[in-house]
Amino acid sequence: MSFLGIDLGTGSLKLAIIDDEGREQCATSVAYAIDTPRPGWAEIDPQVWWRALCEAASRFPDAQRGAVRAVGFSGQMHGVVLSDAQGKAVRPAMLWPDTRALPLLDAWPAPQPNPVAPGMAGPLLRWVAQHEPQSMHAARWALQPKDWLRFRLGGTIETDPSDACATALADPSGAWDNALLERLGLPRDWFAPLAASYAACGTLSAEAANALGLRAGIVLATGAGDTPCAALGSGLANDGDALLTTGTGGQILVLATDEPDAAPGLHRYRAATDHWYRMAAMQNVGVALEAVRGWLSYEWNDAYRDAFEFEAAPGLTFLPYLTGERTPWLNPAARGGWLGLALGTSRGAMMRAAFEGVAFSLRAGLDAIRQSGARVPALRLAGGGSVDARWRQLLADALQVELHAVDCPNAAARGAAMLGGIAVGHWNAGDLAALAPAATRVAGPRDETELAARYARFIDLYGRVEPWFASPSA
């Protein structure tokens, strides 16, 4: 008996199959690109996700696919898919990096229970209501990405609290805000009813089973957002457990038994189980490093080599805010670049400054969590962007924490698969702590006085250049 986890990410779809003891048996992924038809837009045809899923599933041996008894889902958060009653998208899906709705955030005046970003479903749907009446007329459902994919596989129309509470259209518990929906002119019946992340949510259709090489009729779990799935798959089970994920963006989350108090710049969301978590969300991690690598014409191996072979260039700072920023600045209009360049500055020095700038942006988010009262002496580490030993050491030094790498390269997909196992009754919530993967200490903070000074310069420089941006608070 085994369970399949589908992690529908921003830049790739990942699959992982785990056995009845929670051990990963096989995994694969298929990458795809975001469409940017206009500046600030971030879209994708959902059929790209479907084709990626079919291709990824075809890579597994028939015997592995035949043993799957349930499927769970992990999905990129905040974006939205408008579909008709049969699940056909009426326009491209709009994704979290999208900033077209930036001028429309006045519908969410402060204070809000959670920070609101333009790439969340609420602002994006408000934009659709104002600019695309034909899409409004054709739509039957406004679904989160993983919920669209589950519906495509034969599942029922439902969503879970961890995804709903991150739309800017629901309260922190995930319950839809009917008064807000009415004020925005969004039909209440667009939005799926809530179900637990680990609840059974339909079964795999014969058509989808044939496309994926799975057995028809196996249970589909509701699923959860990718961040809470990564927390589950990484072994977070108790109050105070903390995780750093690095991918396109970065998240630092701390699990909590009770609903955390509101804090400036931080999110408080429902977890995939019955916990809560407080979270710092930073938008510019892998997306910023990948952009810099391209600008400097580096292959990744050479980028790491040149960035860490020499000392950092004095006075050179990189602000990584290429897509705005959430924690701690809450400024979608923030932008980035190098400050302190000289004629003799090398490519390697620019790459090193980019790594440091991303690490400093994560530190600013962690500082916000610490200021909220949470102690974070150590972080579990997950995500494809955190495997190089030199990068891990820089993160430990910048964040001033111990880092413990989780022995689970596909944490979100594993967490999704675990939800499938719970949905069919193989596990229950009390089993989760025992299923935690091993974690190895890979880096600890050193007394880096010069790095601390560069972080202070980073914070000071951001404060100085922020007035140049079209800040929504201006």
Side-chain angles (χ1 to χ4, degrees):
M1 178 186 295
S2 61
F3 310 101
L4 172 65
I6 301 174
D7 177 27
L8 178 59
T10 308
S12 66
L13 181 141
K14 302 179 181 68
L15 300 183
I17 294 176
I18 63 174
D19 65 16
D20 57 2
E21 295 184 3
R23 297 171 301 198
E24 184 178 297
Q25 299 299 293
C26 52
T28 189
S29 67
V30 173
Y32 36 73
I34 294 175
D35 295 327
T36 54
R38 297 186 186 180
W41 290 25
E43 300 184 340
I44 195 168
D45 180 353
Q47 285 302 117
V48 173
W49 297 335
W50 173 251
R51 291 192 293 269
L53 174 59
C54 294
E55 180 181 343
S58 71
R59 298 176 183 176
F60 287 147
D62 291 343
Q64 291 281 8
R65 288 184 281 177
V68 171
R69 293 296 178 267
V71 181
F73 298 83
S74 160
Q76 54 180 292
M77 299 171 71
H78 307 307
V80 66
V81 184
L82 279 172
S83 79
D84 65 16
Q86 288 71 46
K88 181 180 178 181
V90 304
R91 69 168 327 282
M94 296 184 288
L95 310 179
W96 65 265
D98 198 300
T99 58
R100 77 183 76 182
L102 177 59
L104 306 180
L105 297 186
D106 60 324
W108 289 265
Q112 289 292 318
N114 275 306
V116 178
M120 292 179 172
L124 291 173
L125 290 173
R126 188 184 184 207
W127 184 92
V128 170
Q130 294 186 8
H131 296 276
E132 294 185 358
Q134 71 281 8
S135 297
M136 290 279 291
H137 179 73
R140 171 62 184 87
W141 298 107
L143 299 173
Q144 308 316 118
K146 65 102 171 50
D147 298 322
W148 176 87
L149 187 60
R150 190 189 60 252
F151 184 37
R152 181 72 173 77
L153 293 179
T156 55
I157 292 289
E158 292 180 279
T159 193
D160 78 299
S162 80
D163 238 354
C165 70
T167 61
L169 296 171
D171 66 25
S173 73
W176 297 113
D177 186 335
N178 293 330
L180 176 60
L181 294 176
E182 182 177 1
R183 179 160 55 84
L184 295 175
L186 303 178
R188 173 62 182 85
D189 62 2
W190 269 6
F191 299 93
L194 292 178
S197 300
Y198 47 80
C201 193
T203 58
L204 189 68
S205 70
E207 177 188 4
N210 183 61
L212 301 181
L214 300 174
R215 294 176 55 180
I218 61 177
V219 168
L220 306 177
T222 311
D226 53 1
T227 297
C229 274
L232 177 61
S234 298
L236 271 65
N238 300 307
D239 187 87
D241 289 350
L243 177 72
L244 165 63
T245 63
T246 57
T248 304
Q251 298 83 33
I252 300 172
L253 65 93
V254 182
L255 210 63
T257 302
D258 301 315
E259 180 180 359
D261 293 333
L266 297 179
H267 302 262
R268 49 189 176 128
Y269 288 154
R270 293 301 304 270
T273 55
D274 296 324
H275 283 81
W276 294 75
Y277 64 95
R278 73 183 84 195
M279 181 180 72
M282 287 65 65
Q283 294 188 179
N284 299 274
V285 179
V287 68
L289 293 174
E290 176 62 26
V292 171
R293 182 199 67 79
W295 293 336
L296 299 179
S297 299
Y298 266 125
E299 296 296 328
W300 269 116
N301 287 339
D302 296 335
Y304 278 110
R305 182 200 64 213
D306 286 3
F308 292 102
E309 191 172 84
F310 303 104
E311 294 295 324
L316 181 60
T317 299
F318 179 74
L319 297 177
Y321 304 123
L322 307 184
T323 65
E325 190 52 293
R326 288 161 65 183
T327 309
W329 312 122
L330 297 181
N331 187 356
R335 291 296 178 261
W338 287 273
L339 293 166
L341 287 172
L343 286 176
T345 303
S346 68
R347 278 198 311 160
M350 295 173 71
M351 194 74 227
R352 172 58 178 261
F355 276 111
E356 288 196 356
V358 168
F360 291 158
S361 73
L362 293 170
R363 169 64 183 275
L366 181 56
D367 283 350
I369 288 181
R370 286 169 167 154
Q371 289 163 10
S372 76
R375 286 190 66 255
V376 189
L379 287 165
R380 285 194 166 222
L381 183 63
S386 58
V387 296
D388 185 89
R390 296 160 294 186
W391 175 224
R392 287 173 169 178
Q393 186 59 59
L394 175 58
L395 287 172
D397 291 335
L399 299 175
Q400 286 294 288
V401 295
E402 288 189 354
L403 294 178
H404 298 260
V406 177
D407 186 16
C408 179
N410 303 290
R414 178 178 185 264
M418 292 168 65
L419 294 175
I422 299 173
V424 294
H426 180 69
W427 294 303
N428 59 53
D431 298 325
L432 298 180
L435 295 173
T440 304
R441 185 184 185 277
V442 292
R446 300 174 299 187
D447 185 14
E448 292 282 336
T449 303
E450 292 183 1
L451 186 68
R454 290 198 293 276
Y455 174 58
R457 171 184 166 83
F458 174 92
I459 296 296
D460 178 64
L461 282 174
Y462 177 80
R464 291 174 182 270
V465 302
E466 186 179 40
W468 299 350
F469 311 137
S471 173
S473 61

